[in-house]
Every structure is written in structure tokens, then in C-alpha cells.
Amino acid sequence: MMIRRHQTALVNKRFGAGFTLIELVAVILLIGIIASTVASRAFTTGDAALQTARDDIVAAVNFAQQQAMDTDGAVVLAITSTTVAVSRDSVPLQFGSVSYPLELPSRVSVAPNATLAFNRLGESSPQVFTLSVGTETTTVSVSAAGYAN
């Protein structure tokens, strides 16, 4: 009987070794901290602000173009260094929950200030806008056909 207990204890020690729940939670926590640190360094807030401002301007150009093709009246897109506005006959327009003029994300500046008028065919004068946050920049091009990219 003594031999059997000793053998059972050896078997339990040899095959029962594993990770405890606390050890597993600690490893998962460390992996999460490392992943969040790497992700925060890979994506700066300047990148996000630039992308948001770029998307806002492209959406405003597309909205102004659609409004010009759908209705009569002068549809105008006005872009300043910190805002984008769409209006028809000098009345600001609203698209869903977005009311124009729309403030661009803080720290983002746009150059040059410009006003684009869209005709009944959705055409406008070509323009290139440069958006910047610190040293990071991106551009939005509006073609003569009124398309933005």
C-alpha cells in the first residue's frame, strides 16, 4: 500500500503540472499591454485626425455635387482652414445628422481656402486641398467633373 501511494504521488506531480488560472490571466494581461503599446505607436492621433478631416471634405464634395444635380439653385462648397460648408442659395444644408458648416477636427488645417460652385451637371472647377497636422499631410483633389479623391 505504501508503494502504491508513492507511485500515485509521483504520477500526479509529473502529469498534473500545468498553468494555474492566475498565471494564464497574467500572461494574457501582459500580451494585452504590449499589443496596446505597439498599436498606439503605430497609429498616431494626427493620422486619425487627418483621415477624419479628409473623409469629411470628400463627403461634403460628394454631397454638394449630388445636391447640384438634384435641384435647381447654386450649390456652393466653401472650405476654410478649419471648416467645410455646403449651401444652396446661401442657405446652409444638412445631410442626415451633419449640419453645415462643419468644424474639422482640431489641429487640422486646410489650404487653400476656396469656394467651389457646382452646376446642374455636378461639375466644378478643379482644386487640390492640402490638409496638415504638424508635419503630416494629405491631399484631396476635386476634378473638373466634380469628383473628389
Side-chain angles (χ1 to χ4, degrees):
M1 181 110 161
M2 182 70 154
I3 294 174
R4 185 165 271 213
R5 279 189 194 165
H6 183 65
Q7 287 176 342
T8 305
L10 286 176
V11 168
N12 286 342
K13 272 191 172 183
R14 207 172 344 154
F15 295 111
F19 296 109
T20 65
L21 181 61
I22 293 173
E23 290 170 332
L24 289 174
V25 168
V27 169
I28 291 171
L29 184 65
L30 286 173
I31 290 172
I33 290 170
I34 292 169
S36 67
T37 303
V38 169
S40 69
R41 290 179 189 211
F43 303 107
T44 64
T45 57
D47 290 340
L50 272 178
Q51 186 62 42
T52 300
R54 184 183 184 292
D55 292 347
D56 287 343
I57 291 173
V58 169
V61 170
N62 292 337
F63 176 62
Q65 182 186 43
Q66 289 299 314
Q67 288 298 306
M69 292 188 297
D70 287 345
T71 61
D72 288 328
V75 176
V76 174
L77 171 77
I79 297 179
T80 67
S81 61
T82 59
T83 63
V84 59
V86 179
S87 61
R88 181 181 327 117
D89 299 325
S90 300
V91 177
L93 297 177
Q94 182 171 346
F95 179 63
S97 63
V98 177
S99 295
Y100 291 101
L102 178 67
E103 286 285 327
L104 296 174
S106 63
R107 301 182 309 140
V108 175
S109 63
V110 181
N113 292 347
T115 301
L116 303 176
F118 289 85
N119 65 19
R120 186 86 166 112
L121 298 175
E123 299 168 328
S124 178
S125 56
Q127 183 72 50
V128 177
F129 297 99
T130 302
L131 291 75
S132 60
V133 172
T135 59
E136 300 174 41
T137 62
T138 189
T139 60
V140 174
S141 300
V142 180
S143 70
Y147 296 110
N149 62 5

